[in-house]
Amino acid sequence: MLTCSTPELLSLIAHRRSLKQSLLKPDPIPREQIEQMLEAANWAPNHGASEPWRFAVYAEDSRKALGETFARSYRLGVAKEKYNPQAEEEQRKRVWLAPVWIAIGMQPGGRHPEWEEVAAVGAAVYGAQLVAASLGLSAFWASGMPVTHPNTARFVGWEPPTKLLGFVYVGRPAVPWPKGARGDWRQKVVWHWGNP
Ligand SMILES: Cc1cc2nc3c(=O)[nH]c(=O)nc-3n(C[C@H](O)[C@H](O)[C@H](O)COP(=O)(O)O)c2cc1C
């Protein structure tokens, strides 16, 4: 039975937010809530039943090795003249700011163009983000260099053709739930509704 009305769903969609890790409480999140997010992700539309989304979840102490990995990836990926030890330390420490870090992977089915698989993974992540919002959680998709570096992908255990598309970090906001902003959708649509 469908228990969510269209106005309720639209309201949740507009309510969903991504908060920077510095605005989150580090407090743990029940594993069951992450499972609900991943179940939503698994219902995403996809071409030819490829179901290309892959996830690896890091919580509690497993984040230590993840932070070391981000730091090493930063060292490996940053241009020599731009290296900043403080930035490296930030990569090591950031994992403690959000209680759960979910690596986002795309495993192509091989029968359809890669962009379709990436689009399907995007849809999967969005489903997870909506469920997060319904639970009062923020889920931020980050894709900067250290979190997508091949060294990080190896740590997660994903070899080509599987691609690491970043991490979604999840946590409860430490600040009032922010209001989002979008341009008017009407400005982004051309209608062809009937004959000219
Ligand atoms: C695929 C993808 C990758 C992203 N990577 C980053 C990122 O590396 N850094 C960043 O500041 N925002 C990134 N964003 C944007 C944020 O995740 C977030 O969606 C954006 O700040 C809008 O906020 P909202 O989700 O609350 O509307 C990314 C978004 C997507 C969809």
Side-chain angles (χ1 to χ4, degrees), residues 13-20 94 118 122 125 129 138-145 147 165-167 169 178-182:
I13 285 171
H15 176 75
R16 180 207 58 79
R17 288 278 73 78
S18 312
L19 278 83
K20 294 263 180 209
R94 66 189 296 197
V118 174
V125 170
Q129 289 178 311
S138 159
F140 192 113
W141 191 343
S143 57
M145 182 274 283
V147 304
L165 304 184
F167 279 73
Y169 54 81
K179 237 178 140 47
R182 291 292 188 272

